[in-house]
Amino acid sequence: GDMATAAKAAARLAAIAEPDSETTPTATALALSVRARMAAAAGDSAKALEMLEQVQWAHVGRVAAAEPMDRLLRADLLAAAGRNADALRWYATIGNGSPQELPLVGFAALGMARVNERLGDRAAALREYRRVASLWGQADAPLQALAIAAGKRVTALDSVVQR
Protein backbone atom coordinates (compact mmCIF):
# COMPACT_ATOMS: atom_id res chain seq x y z
CA GLY A 1 0.00 0.00 0.00
CA ASP A 2 3.01 2.34 0.02
CA MET A 3 2.52 3.98 -3.37
CA ALA A 4 5.30 6.54 -2.91
CA THR A 5 7.90 3.84 -2.33
CA ALA A 6 6.49 1.73 -5.17
CA ALA A 7 6.66 4.73 -7.52
CA LYS A 8 10.29 5.35 -6.54
CA ALA A 9 11.16 1.70 -7.11
CA ALA A 10 9.47 1.74 -10.53
CA ALA A 11 11.36 4.93 -11.45
CA ARG A 12 14.68 3.38 -10.37
CA LEU A 13 13.94 0.26 -12.42
CA ALA A 14 12.95 2.30 -15.47
CA ALA A 15 16.20 4.26 -15.26
CA ILE A 16 18.43 1.19 -15.43
CA ALA A 17 20.47 1.15 -18.60
CA GLU A 18 23.12 -1.53 -18.33
CA PRO A 19 25.16 -2.69 -21.31
CA ASP A 20 24.09 -6.24 -20.41
CA SER A 21 21.53 -7.45 -22.92
CA GLU A 22 19.18 -8.88 -20.29
CA THR A 23 19.31 -6.34 -17.45
CA THR A 24 17.68 -3.33 -19.12
CA PRO A 25 14.67 -5.16 -20.65
CA THR A 26 14.10 -7.01 -17.37
CA ALA A 27 14.20 -3.77 -15.38
CA THR A 28 11.81 -2.14 -17.86
CA ALA A 29 9.40 -5.07 -17.58
CA LEU A 30 9.52 -4.95 -13.79
CA ALA A 31 8.95 -1.17 -13.79
CA LEU A 32 5.86 -1.59 -15.96
CA SER A 33 4.66 -4.41 -13.74
CA VAL A 34 4.97 -2.28 -10.60
CA ARG A 35 3.23 0.64 -12.30
CA ALA A 36 0.41 -1.66 -13.47
CA ARG A 37 -0.10 -2.85 -9.89
CA MET A 38 -0.18 0.75 -8.71
CA ALA A 39 -2.82 1.60 -11.33
CA ALA A 40 -4.89 -1.43 -10.34
CA ALA A 41 -4.64 -0.51 -6.65
CA ALA A 42 -5.78 3.02 -7.53
CA GLY A 43 -8.82 1.57 -9.28
CA ASP A 44 -7.70 2.26 -12.86
CA SER A 45 -8.14 -1.22 -14.31
CA ALA A 46 -8.00 -0.03 -17.93
CA LYS A 47 -4.63 1.65 -17.39
CA ALA A 48 -3.33 -1.40 -15.49
CA LEU A 49 -4.37 -3.73 -18.34
CA GLU A 50 -2.77 -1.39 -20.89
CA MET A 51 0.49 -1.44 -18.96
CA LEU A 52 0.46 -5.22 -18.55
CA GLU A 53 -0.01 -5.57 -22.29
CA GLN A 54 3.19 -3.55 -22.79
CA VAL A 55 5.31 -5.81 -20.58
CA GLN A 56 7.58 -7.84 -22.83
CA TRP A 57 8.20 -10.94 -20.70
CA ALA A 58 8.88 -13.01 -23.81
CA HIS A 59 11.91 -10.84 -24.58
CA VAL A 60 13.44 -11.13 -21.13
CA GLY A 61 12.45 -14.60 -20.05
CA ARG A 62 10.44 -15.29 -16.96
CA VAL A 63 11.22 -13.58 -13.72
CA ALA A 64 10.45 -16.16 -11.06
CA ALA A 65 7.64 -14.37 -9.22
CA ALA A 66 6.80 -11.24 -11.20
CA GLU A 67 5.80 -12.75 -14.53
CA PRO A 68 3.22 -15.24 -13.20
CA MET A 69 1.87 -12.59 -10.82
CA ASP A 70 1.33 -10.32 -13.82
CA ARG A 71 -0.59 -13.11 -15.56
CA LEU A 72 -2.79 -13.53 -12.48
CA LEU A 73 -3.35 -9.77 -12.21
CA ARG A 74 -4.21 -9.61 -15.91
CA ALA A 75 -6.73 -12.43 -15.48
CA ASP A 76 -8.29 -10.67 -12.47
CA LEU A 77 -8.53 -7.38 -14.37
CA LEU A 78 -10.04 -9.08 -17.41
CA ALA A 79 -12.61 -10.81 -15.19
CA ALA A 80 -13.47 -7.50 -13.52
CA ALA A 81 -13.92 -5.95 -16.97
CA GLY A 82 -16.33 -8.72 -17.97
CA ARG A 83 -13.92 -10.21 -20.50
CA ASN A 84 -14.63 -13.66 -19.12
CA ALA A 85 -13.25 -15.86 -21.92
CA ASP A 86 -9.98 -13.91 -21.91
CA ALA A 87 -9.82 -14.11 -18.11
CA LEU A 88 -10.31 -17.89 -18.14
CA ARG A 89 -7.50 -18.29 -20.69
CA TRP A 90 -5.11 -16.26 -18.52
CA TYR A 91 -6.11 -18.04 -15.31
CA ALA A 92 -5.48 -21.37 -17.03
CA THR A 93 -1.82 -20.45 -17.61
CA ILE A 94 -1.07 -20.31 -13.89
CA GLY A 95 0.71 -23.41 -12.64
CA ASN A 96 1.92 -24.53 -16.06
CA GLY A 97 5.31 -22.85 -15.84
CA SER A 98 7.93 -22.76 -13.16
CA PRO A 99 7.47 -24.20 -9.65
CA GLN A 100 7.35 -20.61 -8.33
CA GLU A 101 3.85 -20.40 -9.84
CA LEU A 102 2.42 -23.06 -7.52
CA PRO A 103 1.46 -20.62 -4.72
CA LEU A 104 -0.74 -18.81 -7.26
CA VAL A 105 -2.71 -21.88 -8.40
CA GLY A 106 -5.37 -21.48 -5.73
CA PHE A 107 -5.93 -17.83 -6.64
CA ALA A 108 -6.28 -18.79 -10.30
CA ALA A 109 -8.73 -21.56 -9.38
CA LEU A 110 -10.77 -19.10 -7.32
CA GLY A 111 -10.84 -16.68 -10.22
CA MET A 112 -11.91 -19.43 -12.63
CA ALA A 113 -14.62 -20.56 -10.20
CA ARG A 114 -16.07 -17.06 -9.97
CA VAL A 115 -15.95 -16.47 -13.72
CA ASN A 116 -17.50 -19.83 -14.48
CA GLU A 117 -20.24 -19.20 -11.94
CA ARG A 118 -20.91 -15.80 -13.51
CA LEU A 119 -21.11 -17.49 -16.92
CA GLY A 120 -23.59 -20.04 -15.59
CA ASP A 121 -21.22 -22.99 -16.01
CA ARG A 122 -22.01 -24.61 -12.67
CA ALA A 123 -20.04 -27.80 -13.34
CA ALA A 124 -16.84 -25.85 -14.05
CA ALA A 125 -17.48 -23.52 -11.10
CA LEU A 126 -18.01 -26.51 -8.78
CA ARG A 127 -14.79 -28.14 -9.99
CA GLU A 128 -12.77 -24.99 -9.30
CA TYR A 129 -14.41 -24.18 -5.94
CA ARG A 130 -13.68 -27.76 -4.85
CA ARG A 131 -10.09 -27.30 -5.97
CA VAL A 132 -9.79 -24.14 -3.85
CA ALA A 133 -11.30 -25.88 -0.82
CA SER A 134 -8.90 -28.79 -1.27
CA LEU A 135 -5.79 -26.65 -1.83
CA TRP A 136 -6.39 -24.30 1.07
CA GLY A 137 -8.33 -26.41 3.54
CA GLN A 138 -5.26 -26.82 5.76
CA ALA A 139 -3.54 -23.55 4.89
CA ASP A 140 -2.93 -20.48 7.04
CA ALA A 141 -6.02 -18.76 8.44
CA PRO A 142 -6.58 -16.18 5.66
CA LEU A 143 -6.47 -18.88 2.99
CA GLN A 144 -8.59 -21.22 5.11
CA ALA A 145 -11.24 -18.50 5.17
CA LEU A 146 -11.23 -18.54 1.36
CA ALA A 147 -11.39 -22.35 1.41
CA ILE A 148 -14.41 -22.23 3.74
CA ALA A 149 -16.12 -19.67 1.48
CA ALA A 150 -15.39 -21.89 -1.53
CA GLY A 151 -16.87 -24.86 0.32
CA LYS A 152 -20.02 -22.84 0.96
CA ARG A 153 -20.27 -22.04 -2.76
CA VAL A 154 -19.92 -25.77 -3.50
CA THR A 155 -22.81 -26.50 -1.15
CA ALA A 156 -24.94 -23.75 -2.66
CA LEU A 157 -24.17 -24.75 -6.27
CA ASP A 158 -24.64 -28.44 -5.50
CA SER A 159 -28.12 -27.77 -4.16
CA VAL A 160 -29.00 -25.83 -7.33
CA VAL A 161 -27.57 -28.51 -9.63
CA GLN A 162 -29.38 -31.34 -7.84
CA ARG A 163 -32.84 -29.70 -8.01
Side-chain angles (χ1 to χ4, degrees), residues 46-69:
K47 184 176 180 179
L49 268 172
E50 180 184 315
M51 288 178 177
L52 287 173
E53 289 168 0
Q54 293 175 32
V55 177
Q56 301 283 321
W57 289 119
H59 294 138
V60 297
R62 291 185 172 196
V63 176
E67 188 269 342
M69 288 180 67

Side-chain angles (χ1 to χ4, degrees), residues 109-120:
L110 185 58
M112 286 190 284
R114 291 173 175 161
V115 169
N116 282 310
E117 185 174 3
R118 205 170 27 250
L119 291 172

Side-chain angles (χ1 to χ4, degrees), residues 78-153:
L78 290 166
R83 294 174 53 189
N84 297 316
D86 291 333
L88 287 172
R89 279 192 291 277
W90 280 97
Y91 283 130
T93 69
I94 304 298
N96 296 327
S98 67
Q100 290 86 351
E101 294 180 28
L102 293 178
L104 304 177
V105 169
F107 294 104
L110 185 58
M112 286 190 284
R114 291 173 175 161
V115 169
N116 282 310
E117 185 174 3
R118 205 170 27 250
L119 291 172
D121 187 345
R122 285 187 174 92
L126 277 166
R127 180 182 63 244
E128 297 302 332
Y129 280 128
R130 284 184 177 119
R131 190 169 161 210
V132 171
S134 173
L135 285 169
W136 289 341
Q138 300 298 315
D140 292 338
L143 295 178
Q144 278 188 18
L146 292 172
I148 290 166
K152 288 179 181 177
R153 292 306 308 144

Side-chain angles (χ1 to χ4, degrees), residues 25-50:
T26 300
T28 301
L30 288 170
L32 273 169
S33 177
V34 169
R35 289 180 174 144
R37 291 181 183 296
M38 291 172 58
D44 193 345
S45 298
K47 184 176 180 179
L49 268 172
E50 180 184 315

